[in-house]
Amino acid sequence: MFSTLIKFFKFCDKENRRKFTGSIFVGILNSLFMAFRIAAVAVMLRGVIGTAIEGQPFETKTIWISFGIMCVSMIGGIITRKVTAMWQCEGGYRTCAQKRIEIAEHLRYLPMGYFNENSLGEITSVTTNTMEAVGDVATRAVMMVFQGLLDTSLIIIMLFFFDWRIALVALAGFALFEFVNFFMRFAVKDISADKIRDDAAEIGKVLEYIQGIAEVKAYNLVGKRSRELNEVINRRKKTLIKMEMRCIPISNLQSLVAKLSGVAMMIASLYFYLAGTMALADCATMLVCSFMLFNALEAGGNYSALLRTIDLGVTKASKILALPTMDIEGRDAAKAEKAAKAAGSDKSFIHASNIDFAYDKRKIIDGISLSIPEHSTTAIVGPSGGGKTTFCHLLARFWDVDKGNVTLQGKDVRDYSMDNLMKNYSFVFQNVYLFHDTIANNIRFGQPEAPMEKVIAAAKKACCHDFISALPNGYDTVIGEGGASLSGGERQRISIARAIMKDSPIIILDEATANVDPENERDLMTAIEELTREKTVIMIAHRLKTVRNADQIVVIDKGRIAEQGKHEELVAKGGIYARFIDSRKEAVSWKL
């Protein structure tokens, strides 16, 4: 249990850790105030019993002393309990919020391969379920368990001042309770791991089902996909029921131990009183204590089953934060320049020198060297799966190359800080993602403080001002997540407006016109022309009209450059590119 507490504290940042530490010290005060109730009861019982049994005069000050102690206990308990609860809630929710932001920032700098190896469901589960557990359940569980231990320990210590024999009986009950509690934590050890796994699986399957609902309906797979989703949900339900079924018997046993320990204290107190070794007032005090002692411990014990789940959740989040990021601050410039010279790097605007890259032990890029002059257009074509997109991602350092180097203006891309490097690139992908926000905010995504005039100017250049103005709320229209409420061409043009706002010197177009209908194509081509004016353009394209006017065409096949040159040169060679052109012409000539 203490290892979980330590891990939880390490997981929190310095400020929130200070709040939790402070809440523990205030919790100790709260436990002391709670223990004062015993003193108040003892004073009153001794006064009443002394009057009734021994014939001593009952003094009014006894009532006031008992009342005073009880008031101090109650007021002090209320204040310290409020402070403890506030600090714990603030620390828990702030930790939850900060860790979500920290994980999001950390994910920005992970190699793209991580997102291929790990499902969206797992990442989402960590940032939702796990962080929710940290912010709410973890704080309550860890602190209630700890507070229960504190309250019980301090009361037992106080009992030693009244009667060490009863204190030993209470201590034995406390030890037996913790022994049973250990078995509860052990019993849910394996199920906690299953719960974490099933949480991620359920979120992943729900996201997959929703995102692919169009395909599910189109191919009449509703029953099959629903069955898969139901199976995941039912598996998680069974895991949760299994956890409860394991916990309930042990939790009942815990409660029984706590109650029997109280009964043992009562029996021992009565025995010692009848044997003449304990005063009646002390016996009555111990009887009252037997009802008070294990209340807090029992409440905390019921939460202890969650400690293993919390432990695993914190470990999972910590593993993401511990994943090695790409060198976002840049390498040693002198060493990098020496390495670039050794690799034969020239001073081209963008230069790839004999680069290799493998993913999952499968080589994707195999010894590619390519120079891209400034303010030129380079078209990259080739068979599907040949490595075109991966090569472009390597140029922008979405991944680090395994061998060779990529330079930008003669400087290795690994020498730039990640943020400074990304300022040089704008991307327009085939599948555009727009956020659930206003159109204006989607366009100014890279410049959140940009004035509306700049947003409108970018929209006009991207040929989307007219359709935006026709929307009910214009630029303040909130679009659905992913831009689902807009057509494909409209989404593309908004993404181009976003790229125009960023105004980076290098534009990478990845099949930007592949899925656009004829009605939108003219506007989209105009928008792309505006975006790429006086820029260095790298495009992955299959449309003849897009490719043929490029300054250089690079054909990538099986991770290598198969052909390179201008349109006429490559057509004359009669190779892969020529066959690609023939297939495009044939496709265009098809009629229904």
Side-chain angles (χ1 to χ4, degrees), residues 163-312:
D163 193 294
W164 62 271
R165 297 167 299 180
I166 302 301
L168 287 178
V169 173
L171 187 60
F174 176 67
L176 184 59
F177 182 94
E178 286 302 307
F179 181 74
V180 175
N181 186 258
F182 168 78
F183 275 100
M184 176 183 283
R185 296 197 296 271
F186 181 79
V188 300
K189 184 176 181 180
D190 58 329
I191 303 180
S192 298
D194 292 341
K195 178 186 180 298
I196 296 289
R197 180 203 64 205
D198 291 343
D199 285 346
E202 183 182 60
I203 290 177
K205 188 59 68 175
V206 169
L207 288 171
E208 178 187 279
Y209 186 83
I210 294 172
Q211 290 173 340
I213 193 66
E215 284 75 14
V216 170
K217 288 183 176 180
Y219 289 93
N220 197 28
L221 297 173
V222 176
K224 178 183 177 182
R225 290 301 177 187
S226 296
R227 186 166 62 252
E228 291 178 358
L229 177 60
N230 290 340
E231 286 174 357
V232 171
I233 293 173
N234 286 330
R235 185 167 68 239
R236 182 170 181 267
K237 178 190 72 175
K238 289 177 181 177
T239 300
L240 293 174
I241 292 173
K242 187 177 180 182
M243 177 179 280
E244 290 297 324
M245 294 306 293
R246 283 198 187 179
C247 289
I248 288 172
I250 303 176
S251 179
N252 288 335
L253 181 59
Q254 270 189 164
S255 181
L256 181 63
V257 167
K259 299 296 189 294
L260 289 179
S261 297
V263 171
M265 288 176 61
M266 295 172 67
I267 293 173
S269 299
L270 291 171
Y271 174 79
F272 293 139
Y273 167 70
L274 294 174
T277 58
M278 179 182 287
L280 179 59
D282 289 342
C283 177
T285 302
M286 293 301 101
L287 292 177
V288 173
C289 283
S290 66
F291 289 97
M292 298 168 51
L293 179 60
F294 293 102
N295 286 342
L297 186 64
E298 192 175 351
N302 291 331
Y303 276 91
S304 63
L306 297 173
L307 293 180
R308 178 62 181 169
T309 303
I310 295 164
D311 189 289
L312 289 172

Side-chain angles (χ1 to χ4, degrees), residues 456-510:
I456 294 173
K460 287 180 177 179
K461 289 179 180 179
C463 300
C464 51
H465 175 71
D466 290 341
F467 84 77
I468 293 173
S469 300
L471 294 173
N473 297 312
Y475 285 86
D476 292 327
T477 300
V478 176
I479 56 178
E481 186 174 350
S485 58
L486 301 175
S487 71
E490 290 170 342
R491 290 198 300 269
Q492 282 284 21
R493 280 180 276 160
I494 288 178
S495 73
I496 290 172
R498 179 191 291 170
I500 289 173
M501 281 282 291
K502 190 178 180 186
D503 195 27
S504 299
I506 303 168
I507 309 296
I508 295 181
L509 305 171
D510 189 351

